Amino acid sequence: MPVIEVERLRKQYGERTAVADVSFSVNEGEIFGILGPNGAGKTTTVECIGGLRRADGGRLRVLGLDPVGDRSRVVAELGVQLQHSELPPNLKVGEALRLYSSFYERPADWRELLEVLGLGPQAGTRYGKLSGGQQQRLSIALALVGNPRVAILDELTTGLDPAARRDTWELIESVRDRGVTILLVTHFMAEAERLCDRVAVIDTGRVVALDTPAELTARLDVQQRIRFVPSVPIEDSLLSELPEVESVSRRGDEVLVVGGADALAAVAARLARQGVLAHRLRVEQPSLDDAFLAITGRDEVADPGPRVRPLRHDR
């Protein structure tokens, strides 16, 4: 039985339909990603799964339980990290974890979580004095302190610098290694490629694609882009006459070759025969960014404006 089951989920706010028809399932031990443009219905979907909002239609199950009807049982097994959550600025890290652990019958050892998440030195630090990365780590710790089998993480690394983002990715992988199934909402395609076993792309309240990041990318008919600086000047015709090459262009000393799947091998062989070295060689392959653009018809916004909600414990 899947850990999370979503069937034809629908949610409206007055006349506006936030989620029109969303269906997917998440298997035990997966990191399952939800991608989509701003306003696509991602956060509403996970808030319904977490029982924070009541769906207007469809069927939801978490560990076989109704998130609303079986609220207390679901809360005991589910950890939620909300988008841009915050705590009172004077609350200390250790105090927050001790308080949240008291909400559960069988909590995790919050002192151990401090160390696992790299927050041991900040145990006595007030929330308002933490860096953005430390606040995110604390938010994850609070989502895990109940010893959940499932964790929902919404826009986990929005607003973090690249180093803090990479550290958080490693942290999420370690959380999965502890046996926690993770539902991850993200705007970052690199994050989804790095972490997710499968992803669902939601657009205008509907699932428009569902597969592994690699398979979504493999469906694209996108050509290779090969960039290099030749060791000696060459004519464009040296490469443009190759059947595998579609175009050759230049930006300063750099040559850009666009071609099919076999273009790199053909270009490398032709340069080698002419005794030309390819300096600063880069090969750009299709990415999940390209797949997202092809599926939704628009680029994603990597860092939307803040939408602050207080962390809370609803039973």
Side-chain angles (χ1 to χ4, degrees):
M1 181 179 67
V3 170
I4 296 174
E5 298 173 272
V6 182
E7 296 178 7
R8 302 188 67 84
L9 174 65
R10 182 171 54 83
K11 178 64 180 177
Q12 290 192 216
Y13 300 106
E15 297 298 317
R16 184 175 71 88
T17 300
V19 179
D21 183 2
V22 167
S23 299
F24 61 85
S25 61
V26 180
N27 299 319
E28 186 173 7
E30 273 193 307
I31 299 179
F32 186 94
I34 296 183
L35 312 178
N38 287 332
K42 306 183 301 297
T43 293
T44 297
T45 295
V46 297
E47 287 178 343
C48 288
I49 293 170
L52 299 173
R53 297 191 185 274
R54 185 183 294 270
D56 294 321
R59 178 178 179 272
L60 294 171
R61 291 292 182 270
V62 177
L63 298 167
L65 302 171
D66 182 339
V68 175
D70 300 308
R71 178 66 179 152
S72 61
R73 295 172 64 190
V74 170
V75 164
E77 303 288 355
L78 179 67
V80 180
Q81 178 262 333
L82 296 174
Q83 185 182 11
H84 295 288
S85 300
E86 64 177 23
L87 291 168
N90 289 326
L91 186 65
K92 296 178 181 179
V93 169
E95 292 172 342
L97 280 166
R98 185 168 61 250
L99 172 64
Y100 272 62
S101 69
S102 71
F103 298 150
Y104 299 93
E105 292 183 5
R106 293 180 298 278
D109 184 338
W110 63 267
R111 297 171 186 82
E112 179 186 353
L113 275 177
L114 276 176
E115 299 304 323
V116 169
L117 299 179
L119 288 170
Q122 285 76 42
T125 303
R126 299 181 190 279
Y127 180 82
K129 298 295 185 181
L130 298 176
S131 68
Q134 290 166 345
Q135 289 181 356
Q136 289 291 59
R137 286 174 177 267
L138 176 57
S139 185
I140 297 168
L142 294 174
L144 298 179
V145 75
N147 240 342
R149 292 173 58 187
V150 183
I152 295 175
L153 307 176
D154 189 1
E155 301 294 356
L156 181 69
T157 61
T158 294
L160 297 187
D161 62 54
R165 185 171 294 128
R166 286 193 297 271
D167 289 344
T168 304
W169 292 350
E170 292 177 2
L171 175 60
I172 295 309
E173 289 171 330
S174 70
V175 169
R176 193 259 296 274
D177 292 343
R178 293 162 64 96
V180 180
T181 301
I182 296 172
L183 183 60
L184 176 69
V185 180
T186 182
H187 278 86
F188 295 103
M189 300 302 115
E191 184 165 283
E193 283 187 302
R194 162 74 180 265
L195 296 177
C196 296
D197 300 295
R198 292 186 299 142
V199 298
V201 181
I202 297 178
D203 195 11
T204 61
R206 301 176 186 274
V207 174
V208 294
L210 196 163
D211 214 323
T212 66
E215 285 299 319
L216 289 179
T217 302
R219 294 177 193 174
L220 294 176
D221 185 19
V222 177
Q223 296 171 314
Q224 286 188 353
R225 298 166 63 86
I226 304 162
R227 299 179 184 274
F228 67 94
V229 175
S231 58
V232 296
I234 61 173
E235 297 293 329
D236 290 356
S237 58
L238 178 69
L239 302 178
S240 61
E241 66 187 19
L242 294 170
E244 297 87 353
V245 171
E246 182 172 299
S247 67
V248 178
S249 59
R250 295 173 181 266
R251 177 177 292 176
D253 294 335
E254 185 180 70
V255 176
L256 169 62
V257 179
V258 178
D262 298 325
L264 177 61
V267 168
R270 175 60 62 88
L271 293 176
R273 285 196 295 271
Q274 299 297 317
V276 179
L277 300 178
H279 297 305
R280 302 204 297 273
L281 176 67
R282 290 183 294 151
V283 181
E284 300 172 2
Q285 301 286 3
S287 68
L288 192 57
D289 268 315
D290 299 309
F292 183 91
L293 180 60
I295 292 165
T296 65
R298 45 189 161 169
D299 289 309
E300 182 53 292
V301 178
D303 197 355
R307 189 173 76 179
V308 178
R309 295 191 191 91
L311 281 170
R312 61 183 182 179
H313 177 84
D314 292 331
R315 291 201 73 93

